[in-house]
Amino acid sequence: MKADVLLGLQWGDEGKGKIVDVLTPRYDIIARFQGGPNAGHTIEFDNKKFVLHTIPSGIFNTGTINIIGNGVIIDPFILLREINKLKESNINVENNMLISKKAHLILPTHRLLDAVYENAKGKAKIGSTLKGIGPTYTDKTARNGIRIGNTTRPDFLKNYRELKGKHLQIVKSYGFDLGGFQLDGLDFKSYEEKWFSAIESIGDIEKIDSEYFINSSLNNNKSVLAEGAQGTMLDIDFGTYPYVTSSNTVAAGVCTGLGIAPNNVGEVFGIFKAYCTRVGSGPFFTELENEDGEKLRTEGKEFGSTTGRPRRCGWLDLAALKYSVMLNGVTKMFMMKADVMNGFSTIKAGTAYNFNGQKIDYIPFEASYENLEPVLEDMKGWKTNINDITKAEDMPAELAAYVKFIENETGVPIEMVSVGPDRKAIIQL
Ligand code: GDP
Ligand code: IMO
Ligand code: MG
């Protein structure tokens, strides 16, 4: 079998968690391949709502194995909190979750460094989730990192103290000391103690050489879905650098983040919202800083799943969407949150940009620094409640036309239209 991939085509929060959950019954294994607890993936069913940060979104299907891959970075404190939250609803992850021994650890001091670096950037701050993501991937690349598999080795504490020592020197060089920091409402010392006891608590979860596990599963005809975090426009190489995250969020990340060879990748499912959002700083070409943007934010409850920050909102950006389709080799798309646009008489979508007096339909290098003014196309809104529709033939003509328009522009079929947060709120096309 080949592994399928599901990832975000915009700036994250597209609704990946919901669709992974919807597709999970079709798969034996769901595996996260990059990112860490900067992610917040929401799943809703039976009037219950869960937000997952590290645990793959297949966890609600008892027959499916969930793997945290080598490309993911793990904060044991946050992971344990997630596990305990699920336990309250009688979901025991120990039974169907495995962790790669090669996944890197987010140390408490990685979180401090994140805060220190953001502070030092002043006006140019990224708007990081401050979960220690950048500093942890930096240490991984610099070959200073500590991996999950190291936690049971005799030199773990020595490695920890050495790395912490290096971090504290950096913190000091920026003029800070430990005294002023709080992590999740705790002073550093208390947080560090809880972090260590969390490592013990997750000791029962099986740690594996996940690349072998996944490849032998594929060889034995088991189906695998790789779950992306963040979105293509936040990719470290192809996003709006430096306003990006620190991992490869594109399909290529599946190869390095799980050990799956490129010729073993099957379908690539691209998730996008019917409009656009971005949380944190950086270019956002179709952003609406007006009543329409406010309406999208209110109707779409566009506040971060991880940080609670209000998300910036704007029209769908088709030039950016086409860029994402190209980079990922998207084979099918899922359009999310169409219901949020129920109240709009006119819907707009960006199809190109004006840049230096020219009309272009690609994203040039300069886009990170200079404004690309969007060329917008108007379409008629459906102006009706679509939240209970489940069949394609019941879609209002304007929604069907919007779907067709996006399919024509991108050349990729849309498989489902999502019309509400619940698992069941889906129009199958
Ligand atoms: P993810 O990070 O890509 O998994 O997305 P998030 O969970 O951060 O954000 C998506 C938000 O939209 C969550 O609150 C979901 O419950 C919600 N959501 C998902 N699909 C739909 C939809 O079709 N309509 C509406 N109104 N909300 C949705
Ligand atoms: P999910 O998986 C939306 C954004 C942050 C910030 C930038 C860098 O839920 O879609 P980082 O903490 O990675 O150093 O932050 O990336 N960001 C996300 N935005 N959804 C996410 O994840 C995000 N993860 C990071 O807001 O602008
Ligand atoms: Mg999210």
Side-chain angles (χ1 to χ4, degrees):
M1 290 275 273
K2 289 180 190 265
D4 296 337
V5 179
L6 183 150
L7 43 73
L9 299 179
Q10 296 164 321
W11 280 277
D13 302 329
E14 295 90 349
K16 299 176 290 294
K18 166 170 171 170
I19 299 299
V20 171
D21 173 66
V22 166
L23 297 182
T24 291
R26 300 187 197 169
Y27 289 93
D28 298 307
I29 295 171
I30 306 291
R32 275 274 306 267
F33 61 91
Q34 47 67 236
N38 48 349
H41 295 180
T42 314
I43 290 117
E44 289 195 37
F45 55 91
D46 300 343
N47 293 319
K48 281 183 286 195
K49 174 175 167 172
F50 299 92
V51 182
L52 300 173
H53 303 285
T54 321
I55 297 173
S57 304
I59 202 71
F60 303 101
N61 192 33
T62 45
T64 303
I65 294 174
N66 291 266
I67 298 179
I68 302 178
N70 59 278
V72 177
I73 55 178
I74 298 174
D75 184 328
F77 176 89
I78 296 177
L79 176 58
L80 182 65
R81 197 167 57 187
E82 257 178 276
I83 292 172
N84 288 340
K85 191 95 201 135
L86 289 175
K87 275 212 178 107
E88 285 170 18
S89 298
N90 294 322
I91 296 153
N92 288 310
V93 307
E94 282 90 351
N95 303 334
N96 59 344
M97 190 169 83
L98 304 166
I99 303 180
S100 168
K101 290 184 187 174
K102 294 192 173 79
H104 278 247
L105 274 176
I106 302 174
L107 269 55
T109 42
H110 281 130
R111 294 189 63 179
L112 292 192
L113 285 178
D114 220 355
V116 167
Y117 292 145
E118 272 288 74
N119 185 282
K121 281 185 193 293
K123 271 197 186 143
K125 75 176 163 61
I126 309 292
S128 161
T129 60
L130 301 179
K131 303 294 176 198
I133 306 299
T136 305
Y137 278 119
T138 303
D139 273 337
K140 173 179 176 177
T141 308
R143 293 156 297 180
N144 291 325
I146 305 178
R147 301 184 286 179
I148 285 285
N150 293 99
T151 57
T152 50
R153 295 183 62 82
D155 50 2
F156 172 54
L157 271 183
K158 181 173 160 279
N159 293 342
Y160 175 83
R161 286 196 204 101
E162 278 173 14
L163 190 53
K164 177 183 166 185
K166 283 183 195 158
H167 292 161
L168 291 183
Q169 275 181 6
I170 303 174
V171 170
K172 206 169 152 201
S173 75
Y174 277 83
F176 292 96
D177 63 58
L178 277 183
F181 283 106
Q182 288 242 314
L183 292 171
D184 283 301
L186 298 169
D187 63 62
F188 184 83
K189 192 96 205 72
S190 317
Y191 184 86
E192 191 183 40
E193 277 165 21
K194 287 201 187 300
W195 187 87
F196 272 106
S197 72
I199 290 181
E200 296 219 345
S201 303
I202 61 166
D204 290 345
I205 300 170
E206 199 180 340
K207 318 293 185 309
I208 57 164
D209 288 311
S210 55
E211 63 277 33
Y212 281 108
F213 185 92
I214 290 173
N215 280 291
S216 70
S217 300
L218 290 173
N219 290 338
N220 289 316
N221 274 328
K222 299 268 191 238
S223 50
V224 175
L225 178 67
E227 172 180 0
Q230 291 79 57
T232 301
M233 299 305 288
L234 290 169
D235 182 90
I236 182 73
D237 282 280
F238 300 107
T240 47
Y241 191 91
Y243 301 101
V244 291
T245 190
S246 302
S247 65
N248 279 118
T249 58
V250 293
V254 173
C255 301
T256 55
L258 291 173
I260 294 173
N263 58 347
N264 273 337
V265 173
E267 300 271 4
V268 181
F269 303 131
I271 314 295
F272 72 100
K273 280 181 199 175
Y275 49 97
C276 265
T277 63
R278 172 164 206 170
V279 59
S281 331
F284 180 0
F285 316 115
T286 54
E287 182 168 12
L288 289 164
E289 289 172 291
N290 60 14
E291 272 173 24
D292 283 340
E294 197 52 54
K295 194 163 156 186
L296 287 171
R297 182 156 39 248
T298 315
E299 295 294 320
K301 301 195 173 65
E302 294 295 357
F303 297 89
S305 314
T306 298
T307 58
R309 292 177 290 175
R311 296 177 183 144
R312 300 154 64 192
C313 297
W315 300 120
L316 182 67
D317 183 340
L318 279 157
L321 197 64
K322 283 195 271 188
Y323 182 59
S324 299
V325 164
M326 172 183 85
L327 292 169
N328 294 302
V330 175
T331 56
K332 285 184 181 135
M333 297 200 296
F334 294 71
M335 182 164 90
M336 311 302 291
K337 302 190 93 161
D339 56 299
V340 172
M341 295 174 111
N342 285 349
F344 284 84
S345 313
T346 304
I347 288 173
K348 296 181 199 240
T351 50
Y353 310 113
N354 286 317
F355 175 57
N356 287 342
Q358 269 192 315
K359 187 174 164 186
I360 58 169
D361 68 350
Y362 65 94
I363 301 178
F365 171 83
E366 289 75 12
S368 287
Y369 311 99
E370 289 162 51
N371 192 34
L372 302 183
E373 188 205 326
V375 177
L376 296 170
E377 202 161 304
D378 283 14
M379 272 151 291
K380 212 163 161 263
W382 40 93
K383 270 296 218 173
T384 177
N385 187 318
I386 58 170
N387 305 42
D388 294 323
I389 299 177
T390 54
K391 294 196 200 104
E393 59 263 34
D394 297 335
M395 285 199 296
E398 295 84 358
L399 175 60
Y402 192 51
V403 167
K404 201 85 243 121
F405 169 71
I406 298 165
E407 288 183 330
N408 285 342
E409 286 278 326
T410 56
V412 182
I414 296 179
E415 171 113 342
M416 293 180 194
V417 173
S418 176
V419 290
D422 192 87
R423 205 186 245 179
K424 294 201 181 101
I426 291 276
I427 306 176
Q428 180 79 46
L429 302 187

